[in-house]
Amino acid sequence: MSFFGIVDTFSSGTFTGWSYNSSVIKQTLTVKINDLKVREIEANILRPDVKAAGVAPEQCGFAFQLNIQDLPADGCILSLVDSTSGIQLENGIFTLLDGILTPGFPDNTAEVIRPSLSIKQYLKAQEDKFGDQTTALVAKDLLKAIEHLPINTFVALSYLLVLGRIPDPVGFQNSLSNGRFEGNAKFQFVLEMMRSEEFKKKRTPTLVLADLQGCNFSRLS
């Protein structure tokens, strides 16, 4: 499972953004007040900018409004989380104090919230935040999709999905001759490719995951 999502804008009780959980078809968010679930929002608005960035399918956006006057008068914490995983969206926490809803937690809002991030900035922040953990998780997702294939097909698809190119003849033969691909070897092969300098310059784990969406490699086995 991989999850990406962010609150793009907030103004006068109106929230907009996008959210995508790769483990489910229907994308839903939960609005919480002081950790109590008060509302569920479906993320089904078209976001061609998100799709173009290779992050998620186009139908992943959301927009909804809350009446600030209906929130607890003595203050509260409002949060937006993915309904399936419970993971909080980036920029998805707000504090109500003295009738004013402010992004972030009390007393340190400047540290918690960032101004509206572009999709590229968001992806960079995610990579910086989770680093090799994200790389390993995506490598496992990739392995699940192609590990059943014959070795030559597995190697060729690894190059294509990870590096975005077909393998050069020398690199292809070296991969076949050097790798025995037993036990955990296939995972290490994919992981090392995703840790390479070529990968870091050209691709991100998020783009690999996006390329996997909707692919069915069962006919290749």
Side-chain angles (χ1 to χ4, degrees):
M1 185 277 293
S2 296
F3 172 74
F4 304 96
I6 185 171
V7 179
D8 280 334
T9 63
F10 160 73
S11 178
S12 302
T14 299
F15 303 79
T16 68
W18 57 272
S19 175
Y20 178 63
N21 186 325
S22 64
S23 68
V24 296
I25 298 176
K26 184 178 180 180
Q27 306 297 321
T28 56
L29 308 175
T30 298
V31 180
K32 294 183 176 183
I33 294 178
N34 293 341
D35 213 32
L36 296 176
K37 298 179 181 179
V38 296
R39 188 171 174 182
E40 193 166 83
I41 307 295
E42 188 169 352
N44 58 4
I45 298 174
L46 297 182
R47 287 292 301 262
D49 56 329
V50 178
K51 181 181 179 182
V55 185
E58 189 172 21
Q59 198 169 1
C60 65
F62 64 84
F64 68 95
Q65 189 166 18
L66 291 178
N67 190 342
I68 304 300
Q69 285 70 37
D70 292 340
L71 299 179
D74 56 347
C76 66
I77 300 294
L78 184 147
S79 59
L80 282 71
V81 302
D82 172 50
S83 297
T84 302
S85 65
I87 298 174
Q88 181 183 298
L89 274 67
E90 187 82 13
N91 292 354
I93 191 81
F94 298 82
T95 299
L96 180 69
L97 289 174
D98 300 323
I100 300 175
L101 193 63
T102 306
F105 287 105
D107 301 325
N108 65 341
T109 57
E111 297 178 10
V112 175
I113 198 74
R114 285 190 285 264
S116 183
L117 298 175
S118 69
I119 294 173
K120 289 184 178 179
Q121 288 172 325
Y122 169 76
L123 292 176
K124 182 63 168 59
Q126 292 298 303
E127 301 298 345
D128 290 345
K129 183 176 181 181
F130 296 107
D132 205 49
Q133 179 183 359
T134 299
T135 300
L137 289 174
V138 174
K140 288 181 180 179
D141 285 345
L142 174 59
L143 192 63
K144 289 178 184 178
I146 65 174
E147 65 180 339
H148 65 285
L149 299 174
I151 294 302
N152 60 339
T153 307
F154 167 80
V155 171
L157 276 176
S158 295
Y159 270 87
L160 187 61
L161 291 167
V162 175
L163 299 179
R165 65 173 176 86
I166 60 174
D168 60 274
V170 175
F172 184 65
Q173 290 301 323
N174 286 340
S175 297
L176 291 177
S177 60
N178 294 338
R180 297 185 179 182
F181 299 110
E182 298 175 353
N184 203 37
K186 287 184 178 180
F187 173 72
Q188 290 300 323
F189 176 75
V190 172
L191 185 61
E192 288 175 12
M193 193 178 291
M194 292 181 69
R195 288 171 171 168
S196 69
E197 289 302 315
E198 180 182 355
F199 177 80
K200 292 176 182 178
K201 291 178 181 179
K202 297 167 51 179
R203 305 271 284 167
T204 68
T206 306
L207 291 176
V208 174
L209 192 66
D211 287 344
L212 276 176
Q213 302 307 316
C215 293
N216 184 353
F217 301 106
S218 59
R219 295 181 181 180
L220 299 178
S221 57

